[in-house]
């Protein structure tokens, strides 16, 4: 079985790209140099891990785990499996070419791997202090997705146990919860400050694995479809089910295959959004995370049933430099009374 251990370096440039209600910051040439150096060092580290991971049957266990999760979901929801060719024809920016004869054990063994530079971008819409939970959908309409992330230490090649994966994305019409801002839906709707949809945090297990239930993101002006993430280490779980303290070795983003985005955007309620769609190739964040490398910052996925409405299962393996520590930028903090405007941090994220 051929395992493609591709490297994606996510969030490698400390740029603030255009976001609703924000001005674009200037490009930092000094950061470009540090990014190139980071890519070279990180790529060598991950290459050294490849053989070790294969000896430990890392890929085999991952394939079996992913296939079991998908099978359980299909059985629980009484879904009819989609024709393998339909999945095979989607590239998700991978060089793997599946055919109708490709077994599931091979499909689920693909490991698009991201080396996460801690100095990526969070944007102005990270709400610090979100809830620990695996299902973040709440009442949001859209294509249901289950995302599995597996975290590996790029220095030791071991799964990272006890890391907290913090994710958030906009809803099907391009609106983020927990804030009120120009360009984020109705800027007069202060009830959105109390909203928590499509935001959550989960802790990795003994295999370094986290799974979330969410929906496929919509889009907004100037950005391609993406999901934000922050990785927390050595954080303390509080009685109110939120995190405190610890360090942040990474902030970044993951993306989706362009063909899949087009298919999703043709469905309701995504198709009610009249804002122009930004292509992956035109998104500066996407470019910064994939240029001058064999990177693949795009999630692998399969259809759970015969239609998009049945949902998707997506996965990615994420290699983190755990010795790094950064202070991500935030503009809102979640409290017992909802989200409040409060700024802090130094690393800008879009």
């Amino acid at each position: 079985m051929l395992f493609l251990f591709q490297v994606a370096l996510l969030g490698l440039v400390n740029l603030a790209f255009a976001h609703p209600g924000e001005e674009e910051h200037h490009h930092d040439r000094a950061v470009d140099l540090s990014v190139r150096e980071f890519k070279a060092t990180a790529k060598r580290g991950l290459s050294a891990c490849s053989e070790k991971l294969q000896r430990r049957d890392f890929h085999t266990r991952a394939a079996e785990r992913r296939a079991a999760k998908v099978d359980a979901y299909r059985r629980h929801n009484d879904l009819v499996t989609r024709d393998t060719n339909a999945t095979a024809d989607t590239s998700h920016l991978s060089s793997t070419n599946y055919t109708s004869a490709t077994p599931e054990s091979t499909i689920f063994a693909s490991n698009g791997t991201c080396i996460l530079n801690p100095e990526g971008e969070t944007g102005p819409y990270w709400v610090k202090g979100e809830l620990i939970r695996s299902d973040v959908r709440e009442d949001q309409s859209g294509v249901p997705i289950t995302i599995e992330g597996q975290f590996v230490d790029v220095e030791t090649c071991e799964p990272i146990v006890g890391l907290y994966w913090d994710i958030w994305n906009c809803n099907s019409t391009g609106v983020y919860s927990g804030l009120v801002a120009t360009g984020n839906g109705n800027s007069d709707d202060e009830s959105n400050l109390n909203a928590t949809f499509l935001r959550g945090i989960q802790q990795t297990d003994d295999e370094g694995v986290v799974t979330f239930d969410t929906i496929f993101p919509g889009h907004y002006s100037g950005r391609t479809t993406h999901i934000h993430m922050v990785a927390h280490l050595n954080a303390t779980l509080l009685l109110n089910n939120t995190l405190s303290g610890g360090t942040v070795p990474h902030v970044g983003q993951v993306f989706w295959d362009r063909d899949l985005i087009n298919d999703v955007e043709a469905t309701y309620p995504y198709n009610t959004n009249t804002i122009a769609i930004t292509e992956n190739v035109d998104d500066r964040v996407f470019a910064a995370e994939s240029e001058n490398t064999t990177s693949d910052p795009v999630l692998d996925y399969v259809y759970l049933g015969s239609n998009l409405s049945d949902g998707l299962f997506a996965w990615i393996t994420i290699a983190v430099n755990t010795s790094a520590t950064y202070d991500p930028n935030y503009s809102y903090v979640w409290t017992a009374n909802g989200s409040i405007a409060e700024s802090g941090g130094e690393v800008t994220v879009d």
Side-chain angles (χ1 to χ4, degrees):
M1 184 182 301
L2 175 64
F3 295 107
L4 297 178
F5 206 70
Q6 295 175 303
V7 179
L9 300 100
L10 302 184
L12 294 174
V13 183
N14 186 17
L15 299 173
F17 300 101
H19 202 290
E22 279 220 336
E23 294 182 358
E24 185 172 349
H25 291 238
H26 293 294
H27 189 77
D28 190 334
R29 293 182 181 275
V31 171
D32 274 350
L33 178 60
S34 65
V35 166
R36 287 195 294 271
E37 293 174 348
F38 176 85
K39 285 184 177 182
T41 302
K43 187 174 181 179
R44 287 194 297 270
L46 190 58
S47 296
C49 284
S50 183
E51 184 178 347
K52 182 175 181 179
L53 293 175
Q54 290 190 37
R55 286 199 306 269
R56 293 208 318 261
D57 293 327
F58 176 89
H59 301 301
T60 300
R61 294 199 311 275
E64 292 172 348
R65 180 184 64 250
R66 293 161 184 161
K69 286 181 179 178
V70 170
D71 182 64
Y73 190 97
R74 286 170 174 164
R75 290 177 182 274
H76 178 74
N77 294 280
D78 195 26
L79 297 176
V80 177
T81 305
R82 187 170 183 253
D83 182 357
T84 307
N85 256 339
T87 300
D89 291 340
T90 56
S91 69
H92 51 279
L93 299 185
S94 170
S95 58
T96 302
N97 293 313
Y98 300 134
T99 70
S100 58
T102 305
E104 282 192 336
S105 59
T106 300
I107 294 173
F108 290 110
S110 62
N111 282 282
T113 303
C114 313
I115 292 182
L116 302 182
N117 179 9
E119 203 167 354
E121 295 148 35
T122 54
Y125 292 170
W126 178 40
V127 177
K128 189 175 181 180
E130 281 296 341
L131 299 174
I132 311 296
R133 55 179 182 166
S134 60
D135 189 341
V136 301
R137 294 170 296 183
E138 298 187 11
D139 60 350
Q140 292 300 300
S141 299
V143 174
I145 56 175
T146 296
I147 297 178
E148 180 199 275
Q150 185 166 27
F151 289 80
V152 177
D153 189 326
V154 73
E155 296 176 307
T156 67
C157 309
E158 297 292 336
I160 305 175
V161 180
L163 175 147
Y164 283 95
W165 194 20
D166 188 340
I167 71 168
W168 69 100
N169 59 264
C170 67
N171 67 7
S172 56
T173 55
V175 177
Y176 286 93
S177 66
L179 56 105
V180 174
T182 301
N184 187 61
N186 182 0
S187 59
D188 294 325
D189 181 15
E190 294 192 359
S191 67
N192 198 41
L193 290 171
N194 297 318
T196 57
F197 59 80
L198 309 181
R199 296 179 182 272
I201 306 174
Q202 276 285 286
Q203 188 177 33
T204 58
D205 62 16
D206 290 342
E207 289 283 342
V209 174
V210 174
T211 303
F212 280 101
D213 291 318
T214 183
I215 69 165
F216 198 92
H219 72 280
Y220 49 86
S221 179
R223 289 301 318 280
T224 191
T225 305
H226 60 282
I227 294 178
H228 293 274
M229 64 170 71
V230 167
H232 305 267
L233 287 173
N234 303 313
T236 300
L237 178 60
L238 303 178
L239 294 177
N240 64 355
N241 202 36
T242 64
L243 291 184
S244 176
T247 61
V248 173
H250 164 74
V251 292
Q253 300 169 29
V254 291
F255 302 87
W256 298 90
D257 180 74
R258 185 69 257 168
D259 291 340
L260 177 61
I261 294 172
N262 292 338
D263 290 343
V264 171
E265 288 283 353
T267 67
Y268 181 85
Y270 299 89
N271 57 11
T272 65
N273 186 349
T274 59
I275 296 173
I277 297 175
T278 299
E279 301 284 334
N280 285 343
V281 294
D282 297 323
D283 187 88
R284 293 183 65 189
V285 181
F286 184 93
E289 291 166 356
S290 57
E291 65 184 0
N292 300 321
T293 179
T294 56
S295 298
D296 187 355
V298 180
L299 289 147
D300 286 306
Y301 68 93
V302 293
Y303 277 63
L304 288 170
S306 57
N307 299 299
L308 267 175
S309 59
D310 294 326
L312 303 167
F313 178 82
W315 67 94
I316 196 162
T317 304
I318 304 165
V320 176
N321 180 359
T322 59
S323 63
T325 301
Y326 284 80
D327 185 16
N329 168 268
Y330 61 92
S331 299
Y332 294 85
V333 175
W334 179 252
T335 72
N337 298 316
S339 184
I340 61 172
E342 180 181 311
S343 298
E346 298 178 352
V347 179
T348 303
V349 189
D350 187 25

